[in-house]
């Protein structure tokens, strides 16, 4: 778990919604870079003795805990003697294994016994003060207390009619549908219980001793019983932890309701992240609507607008990635950009002295919580469903629960359903049109081959797949995604038509990276239609190859931004805000037609992505490219207007007959530089006139020395003509002119 600390002495290493910024990149960053909100998410710095130094800034006691390497038994023994002298019992456990194997010891003989036992298999051992108080957690959002849960061993409550065994079966069924408990099996129940006993109504029957959530324990919300008992503790936490994050503070106390006044109160740890949010939802999900609205949604539903991105020329792109698209958009606005590593980009506004870090297409305003919520498709569905957003009905299964999934599909009553991995992107592993157990098995095996741990089985909603790009309270673009297909020409078989299709896809700078692949799933889908790869379709006949419409799986993209019914806008904005108020998202809808009102058709949300691919809208197969990068950066920076400059260049060297002008035109167009370039009567000179923002022009001049592969630039003479800018304001493109 990663945490944003305010106290700079506790800073350790940058990490917010990503875990991929390299140490080399961090070392290259300036102090100002490191202070940006992307890099200000930190984990605790450990001292040599492995204490959490963050707790030294809190005015409340914390667990005394230290880690010792296998070779330092003497140090561990000294620490234990100190704890014994203070009157404590001691907990010893393998490091990073706190909840799995732990023993409470009261003397040095027991210490030696378990030290020898644990160090046979573990390099490090953790020793800490044993807590005999009750464990509980405080959930904090925006610096405010959101909930208080105590942790209790697994239990059932009698209804006066059911046996303990029947109550346990019902409990397991409820746990299988809970956003948190479904991860953990309820096993090793107290074998002294009489399973045929019928508890009286209201009788509580404890099933286990463990208070570990992963071993069947559960949360019990006591939020209604807590008023201001922990205000001073939360105030202390707010002094050192950024308020904007969702946090959980784990504690022990013998009198939880007494709050900070109970002298046995001890702080265990502070954590942050989407998994912690799942813990909160374990008991809050039944009133999730009001919780999300009150804590994550801004009161801005009256401001939802459709800010359709402008049509844009995309021919100047040589490569396509999230960073390249953002870098090109920065040039359009006169912003400076710097690539920190292969996936991290820093963009700065030189006039307003503002900056923003990006990882892929995500800005520093995309929180870890929003990212991890969107990565978990099942959790996303539960959130949206609780707030009245239509989603396909389905269930999550572990990869080893095929038999349970096989039983579950009877709920679809012969209707088609979908099988898809929980965390894979780009349509990988998705199987559609599943009707029976044989098809389910094939889909399951496909997921196994991709090493998936969790699988979603859900109803298949009929309709077209639409991707809607939402930034804050604005919808920028909409694209319809079409599953791969070929059109017969009366001569070639399906295999040959796929090859022709891929040749055509290579012309699209985005789709060329995702050719149509003839997989076993495609062959199965063709077989269901009574055809195969050797079939020769008639001229004009359309043959669908799959129902997975993602571009990464060979699908097509059609821009539909001009045909969006206005009623979809508030729905899309609401979904973005439900995703922990993510800064921007791509929402995947299934529906009949986005030009029709939602109330006039059946529809559902199948996925939400916090790193939506901008290229979907910039490089469609059909329709107009949409310049989504520029308004995205405008939303973040609100840049001030800049003056433009004019340079005349005389470029000398081997620059004619080597493709220099074509290369230079592409350099200028990518940097939003207008003007022209032309050969001169001298074979070793070309002239260029360039108009644009100063940073863009200076970079263009620097690059002009490089040239294409066969060029050899000896000198570039620059003449600043900015005083005559009015003469050149009409230039709105870049062209190659004929020789003087």
């Amino acid at each position: 778990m990663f945490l944003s600390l305010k106290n700079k002495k506790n800073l350790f290493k940058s990490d917010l919604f990503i875990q991929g910024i390299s140490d080399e990149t961090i070392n290259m960053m300036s102090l100002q870079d490191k202070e940006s909100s992307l890099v200000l998410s930190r984990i605790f710095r450990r001292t040599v003795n492995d204490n959490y130094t963050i707790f030294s800034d809190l005015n409340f006691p914390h667990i005394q805990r230290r880690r010792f390497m296998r070779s330092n038994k003497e140090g561990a023994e000294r620490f234990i003697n100190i704890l014994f002298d203070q009157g404590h019992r001691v907990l010893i456990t393998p490091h990073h294994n706190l909840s799995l194997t732990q023993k409470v010891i009261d003397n040095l003989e027991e210490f030696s016994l378990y030290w020898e036992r644990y160090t046979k298999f573990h390099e490090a051992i953790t020793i800490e003060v044993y807590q005999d108080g009750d464990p509980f957690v405080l959930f904090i959002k925006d610096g405010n207390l959101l909930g208080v849960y105590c942790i209790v061993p697994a239990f059932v409550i009698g209804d006066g009619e059911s046996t303990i065994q029947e109550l346990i079966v019902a409990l397991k069924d409820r746990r299988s549908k809970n956003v948190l408990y479904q991860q953990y099996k309820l096993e090793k129940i107290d074998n002294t219980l009489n399973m045929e006993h019928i508890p009286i109504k209201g009788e509580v029957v404890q099933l286990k001793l463990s208070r570990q959530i992963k071993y069947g324990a559960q949360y019990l919300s006591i939020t209604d019983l807590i008023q201001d008992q922990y205000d001073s503790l939360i105030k202390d936490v707010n002094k050192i932890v950024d308020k904007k994050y969702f946090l959980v503070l784990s504690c022990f106390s013998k009198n939880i309701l007494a709050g900070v006044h109970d002298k046995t109160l001890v702080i265990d740890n502070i954590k942050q992240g989407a998994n912690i949010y799942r813990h909160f939802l374990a008991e809050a999900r039944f009133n999730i609507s009001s919780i999300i609205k009150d804590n994550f949604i801004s009161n801005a539903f009256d401001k939802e607008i459709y800010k359709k991105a402008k049509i844009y020329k995309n021919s100047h792109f040589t490569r396509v990635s999230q960073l390249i698209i953002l870098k090109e958009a920065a040039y359009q606005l006169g912003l400076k950009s710097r690539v920190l590593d292969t996936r991290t980009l820093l963009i700065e506004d030189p006039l307003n002295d503002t900056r923003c870090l990006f990882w892929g297409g995500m800005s520093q305003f995309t929180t870890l919580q929003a990212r991890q919520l969107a990565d978990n498709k099942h959790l996303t569905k539960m959130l949206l469903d609780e707030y009245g957003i239509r989603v396909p009905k389905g269930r999550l299964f572990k990869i080893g629960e095929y038999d349970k999934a096989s039983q579950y599909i009877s709920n679809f009553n012969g209707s088609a359903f979908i099988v898809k991995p929980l965390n894979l992107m780009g349509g990988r592993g998705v199987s559609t049109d599943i009707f029976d157990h044989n098809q389910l098995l094939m889909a399951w095996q496909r997921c196994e081959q991709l090493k998936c741990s969790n699988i979603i089985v859900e109803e298949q909603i009929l309709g077209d797949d639409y991707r809607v790009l939402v930034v804050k309270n604005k919808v920028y673009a909409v694209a319809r995604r079409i599953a791969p297909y070929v059109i017969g020409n009366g001569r070639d078989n399906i295999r040959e038509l796929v090859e022709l299709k891929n040749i055509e896809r290579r012309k699209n700078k985005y789709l060329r990276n995702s050719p149509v692949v003839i997989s076993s799933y495609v062959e199965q889908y063709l077989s269901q239609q009574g055809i195969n790869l050797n079939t020769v379709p008639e001229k004009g006949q359309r043959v669908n190859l799959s129902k997975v419409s993602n571009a990464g799986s060979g699908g097509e993209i059609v821009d539909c931004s001009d045909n969006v019914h206005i009623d979809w806008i508030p729905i899309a904005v609401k979904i973005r805000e439900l995703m922990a108020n993510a800064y921007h998202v791509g929402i995947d809808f299934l529906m009949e037609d986005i030009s029709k009102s939602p109330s006039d058709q059946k529809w559902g949300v199948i996925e939400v992505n916090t790193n939506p691919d901008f290229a979907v809208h910039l490089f469609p197969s059909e329709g107009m490219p949409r310049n989504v990068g520029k308004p995205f950066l405008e939303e973040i920076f609100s840049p001030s207007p800049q003056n433009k400059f004019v340079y005349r260049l005389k470029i000398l060297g081997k620059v004619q007959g080597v493709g220099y002008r074509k290369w230079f035109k592409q350099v200028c167009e990518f940097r939003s530089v207008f003007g022209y370039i032309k050969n001169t009567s001298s074979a070793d000179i070309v002239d260029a006139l360039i108009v644009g923002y100063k940073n863009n022009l200076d970079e263009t001049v620097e690059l002009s020395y490089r040239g294409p592969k066969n060029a050899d630039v000896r000198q570039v003479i620059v003449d600043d003509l900015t005083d005559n800018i009015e003469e050149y304001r009409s230039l709105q493109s870049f062209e190659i002119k004929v020789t003087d």
Side-chain angles (χ1 to χ4, degrees):
M1 296 298 171
F2 298 92
L3 194 67
S4 178
L5 304 182
K6 293 180 179 177
N7 189 336
K8 301 301 186 288
K9 73 180 182 181
N10 290 323
L11 297 185
F12 176 65
K13 181 179 179 181
S14 60
D15 220 313
L16 176 59
F17 51 79
I18 57 174
Q19 300 175 18
I21 296 183
S22 64
D23 290 336
E24 291 77 12
T25 295
I26 295 168
N27 294 333
M28 290 169 53
M29 291 181 180
S30 66
L31 179 61
Q32 191 174 9
D33 291 341
K34 293 178 181 178
E35 293 303 309
S36 78
S37 58
L38 170 65
V39 191
L40 275 183
S41 183
R42 317 289 183 169
I43 60 176
F44 303 132
R45 178 188 289 277
R46 304 282 180 87
T47 65
V48 174
N49 293 326
D50 206 43
N51 286 318
Y52 289 112
T53 62
I54 183 175
F55 293 126
S56 64
D57 293 322
L58 296 177
N59 296 317
F60 297 91
H62 61 274
I63 291 180
Q64 296 183 64
R65 176 185 293 144
R66 287 181 60 179
R67 182 190 68 173
F68 295 91
M69 303 307 293
R70 177 188 297 162
S71 59
N72 191 17
K73 181 180 179 181
E74 291 183 4
E77 189 170 325
R78 286 195 298 271
F79 180 59
I80 281 184
N81 276 323
I82 292 173
L83 299 183
F84 284 158
D85 289 343
Q86 294 173 351
H88 298 299
R89 302 184 73 192
V90 173
L91 193 69
I92 181 171
T93 181
H95 189 59
H96 297 315
N97 195 25
L98 297 177
S99 63
L100 300 179
T101 307
Q102 54 185 13
K103 292 294 179 182
V104 180
I105 59 176
D106 296 292
N107 53 61
L108 289 178
E109 289 75 16
E110 290 179 325
F111 160 70
S112 295
L113 173 65
Y114 288 106
W115 178 273
E116 297 302 325
R117 181 176 298 177
Y118 291 156
T119 53
K120 286 182 180 179
F121 305 100
H122 303 278
E123 183 66 26
I125 304 297
T126 297
I127 295 173
E128 64 183 82
V129 173
Y130 171 70
Q131 302 301 319
D132 55 0
D134 292 319
F136 69 103
V137 292
L138 305 174
F139 293 98
I140 303 169
K141 176 69 172 66
D142 294 331
N144 301 310
L145 183 64
L146 199 59
V148 182
Y149 298 169
C150 59
I151 305 172
V152 297
F155 67 92
V156 291
I157 300 177
D159 58 9
E161 299 178 357
S162 306
T163 65
I164 292 178
Q165 181 63 49
E166 291 169 337
L167 292 171
I168 292 174
V169 171
L171 174 61
K172 288 182 175 181
D173 182 65
R174 292 195 300 273
R175 288 176 66 92
S176 71
K177 301 172 184 176
N178 185 283
V179 65
L180 174 68
Y181 303 140
Q182 63 184 206
Q183 303 177 79
Y184 308 119
K185 292 182 179 180
L186 183 59
E187 298 177 324
K188 298 184 179 179
I189 293 171
D190 185 355
N191 57 16
T192 65
L193 291 174
N194 178 3
M195 293 297 171
E196 299 304 316
H197 172 66
I198 300 178
I200 64 174
K201 188 173 184 179
E203 179 183 350
V204 177
V205 180
Q206 184 173 327
L207 304 177
K208 301 185 66 173
L209 294 175
S210 174
R211 292 199 178 192
Q212 298 290 337
I213 295 294
K214 64 174 60 181
Y215 291 134
Q218 61 192 72
Y219 290 117
L220 187 64
S221 177
I222 55 173
T223 308
D224 293 342
L225 303 177
I226 302 297
Q227 298 178 2
D228 57 0
Q229 292 97 314
Y230 291 96
D231 283 2
S232 57
L233 174 56
I234 295 172
K235 185 177 180 180
D236 261 24
V237 172
N238 289 339
K239 291 178 181 178
I240 60 172
V241 179
D242 197 323
K243 289 183 181 180
K244 68 182 179 180
Y245 292 106
F246 187 93
L247 310 170
V248 62
L249 185 64
S250 299
C251 309
F252 288 89
S253 174
K254 292 183 179 180
N255 187 355
I256 299 174
L257 298 183
V260 299
H261 302 295
D262 177 34
K263 294 183 179 180
T264 66
L265 173 67
V266 178
I267 300 171
D268 183 13
N269 59 55
I270 306 176
K271 295 181 180 179
Q272 165 200 341
N275 190 51
I276 297 306
Y277 187 53
R278 189 180 291 112
H279 281 245
F280 171 66
L281 293 181
E283 294 302 320
R285 64 181 300 269
F286 297 107
N287 62 340
I288 191 64
S289 301
S290 61
I291 289 169
I292 290 180
K293 183 173 181 180
D294 293 341
N295 293 281
F296 295 105
I297 299 181
S298 62
N299 296 316
F301 286 158
D302 59 336
K303 299 179 182 178
E304 304 121 353
I305 62 172
Y306 186 22
K307 186 179 180 180
K308 185 166 53 179
K310 295 181 179 179
I311 295 172
Y312 191 58
K313 187 177 73 169
N314 60 19
S315 59
H316 51 274
F317 284 87
T318 56
R319 293 181 296 120
V320 177
S321 72
Q322 297 282 68
L323 261 60
I324 289 172
I325 291 172
L326 288 175
K327 192 174 179 68
E328 191 269 351
Y331 285 124
Q332 295 182 56
L333 297 169
L335 304 176
K336 297 176 67 175
S337 62
R338 179 158 57 100
V339 176
L340 301 180
D341 61 22
T342 55
R343 303 192 72 177
T344 312
L345 180 71
L346 174 67
I347 298 180
E348 304 172 88
D349 184 344
L351 293 185
N352 297 329
D353 193 29
T354 55
R355 57 180 56 207
C356 183
L357 276 165
F358 296 85
W359 187 77
M362 293 183 291
S363 75
Q364 63 192 43
F365 304 111
T366 301
T367 64
L368 175 66
Q369 180 186 337
R371 177 65 172 157
Q372 292 187 342
L373 282 174
D375 282 348
N376 188 317
K377 298 182 182 75
H378 185 64
L379 182 55
T380 297
K381 281 178 53 181
M382 293 187 68
L383 282 172
L384 299 184
D385 184 50
E386 291 285 352
Y387 208 67
I389 302 296
R390 299 181 190 177
V391 294
K393 295 178 182 178
R395 273 189 60 182
L396 177 67
F397 298 93
K398 294 184 180 299
I399 193 66
E401 296 180 330
Y402 171 78
D403 291 340
K404 289 185 178 180
S406 183
Q407 295 175 6
Y408 176 71
I409 65 173
S410 61
N411 295 324
F412 293 104
N413 298 319
S415 299
F417 58 93
I418 293 173
V419 175
K420 61 183 179 181
L422 175 64
N423 294 117
L424 293 186
M425 300 296 177
R428 295 178 61 213
V430 177
S431 298
T432 62
D433 287 321
I434 308 297
F435 289 93
D436 56 38
H437 295 279
N438 290 334
Q439 293 172 322
L440 173 64
L441 179 60
M442 293 181 65
W444 206 270
Q445 292 171 341
R446 188 177 178 210
C447 292
E448 285 180 328
Q449 292 170 0
L450 294 171
K451 301 187 183 304
C452 304
S453 300
N454 298 283
I455 299 174
I456 296 173
V457 178
E458 66 183 21
E459 68 172 323
Q460 181 170 321
I461 298 177
L462 299 178
D464 289 332
D465 185 338
Y466 289 87
R467 163 60 62 87
V468 179
L469 179 64
V470 187
V471 181
K472 295 183 74 173
N473 286 350
K474 302 179 180 70
V475 172
Y476 280 176
V478 177
R480 180 162 63 99
R481 303 188 298 183
I482 303 173
Y485 67 91
V486 293
I487 301 295
N489 57 18
R491 301 186 308 276
D492 300 307
N493 63 29
I494 293 176
R495 187 188 301 276
E496 293 164 337
L497 290 172
V498 169
E499 293 175 1
L500 294 174
K501 167 76 79 169
N502 285 333
I503 291 173
E504 189 67 24
R505 286 175 73 87
R506 286 197 283 271
K507 298 176 183 177
N508 185 300
K509 292 169 185 172
Y510 172 56
L511 297 179
R512 66 186 179 189
N513 297 318
S514 304
V516 179
V517 177
I518 300 175
S519 63
S520 59
Y521 173 71
V522 169
E523 294 188 74
Q524 175 192 352
Y525 190 75
L526 291 174
S527 177
Q528 292 172 0
Q529 302 173 62
I531 54 180
N532 57 48
L533 293 171
N534 295 318
T535 301
V536 178
E538 297 179 4
K539 186 175 182 179
Q541 180 185 351
R542 174 170 173 151
V543 178
N544 294 320
L545 305 175
S546 167
K547 277 204 172 182
V548 180
S549 55
N550 196 288
S553 300
E556 308 286 332
I557 305 168
V558 179
D559 175 59
C560 299
S561 301
D562 290 331
N563 304 307
V564 179
H565 194 285
I566 199 66
D567 287 352
W568 288 107
I569 309 306
I571 294 175
V573 172
K574 180 188 289 188
I575 291 169
R576 181 199 63 78
E577 294 197 321
L578 287 172
M579 301 305 295
N581 209 22
Y583 193 82
H584 78 298
V585 296
I587 306 169
D588 294 338
F589 288 93
L590 279 176
M591 68 181 78
E592 178 185 336
D593 188 346
I594 202 164
S595 68
K596 297 180 179 180
S597 171
S599 60
D600 294 337
Q601 57 185 309
K602 185 177 181 180
W603 58 274
V605 176
I606 55 175
E607 193 170 322
V608 183
N609 195 325
T610 52
N611 188 17
D613 206 335
F614 297 129
V616 167
H617 306 285
L618 198 54
F619 296 92
S621 315
E622 300 177 32
M624 306 307 296
R626 297 289 170 174
N627 185 11
V628 293
K630 180 180 178 181
F632 177 57
L633 294 187
E634 285 177 324
E635 194 73 51
I636 293 174
F637 286 96
S638 299
S640 302
Q642 295 187 40
N643 293 325
K644 290 195 173 183
F645 290 72
V646 183
Y647 294 169
R648 185 183 298 279
L649 309 183
K650 187 178 291 293
I651 305 166
L652 294 78
K654 185 181 178 182
V655 290
Q656 291 193 23
V658 291
Y660 188 92
R661 290 180 299 164
K662 181 179 179 181
W663 171 87
F664 189 81
K665 179 177 186 287
Q666 199 159 42
V667 167
C668 290
E669 288 182 333
F670 186 77
R671 288 160 181 79
S672 292
V673 171
F674 304 143
Y676 60 82
I677 186 171
K678 62 182 180 179
N679 286 338
T680 67
S681 55
S682 175
D684 59 353
I685 299 176
V686 295
D687 281 342
L689 182 91
I690 54 177
V691 181
Y693 298 120
K694 190 174 188 309
N695 290 324
N696 299 358
L697 295 190
D698 290 343
E699 187 174 314
T700 301
V701 171
E702 183 179 345
L703 288 171
S704 66
Y705 282 93
R706 186 180 302 173
K709 181 179 179 180
N710 295 321
D712 182 13
V713 178
R714 298 194 305 271
Q715 184 180 7
V716 178
I717 301 172
V718 181
D719 187 11
D720 190 338
L721 304 181
T722 304
D723 289 343
N724 302 320
I725 184 66
E726 295 302 327
E727 182 180 342
Y728 305 104
R729 285 197 186 278
S730 60
L731 292 173
Q732 295 297 315
S733 62
F734 196 94
E735 61 178 317
I736 298 175
K737 287 192 172 184
V738 296
T739 307
D740 286 340

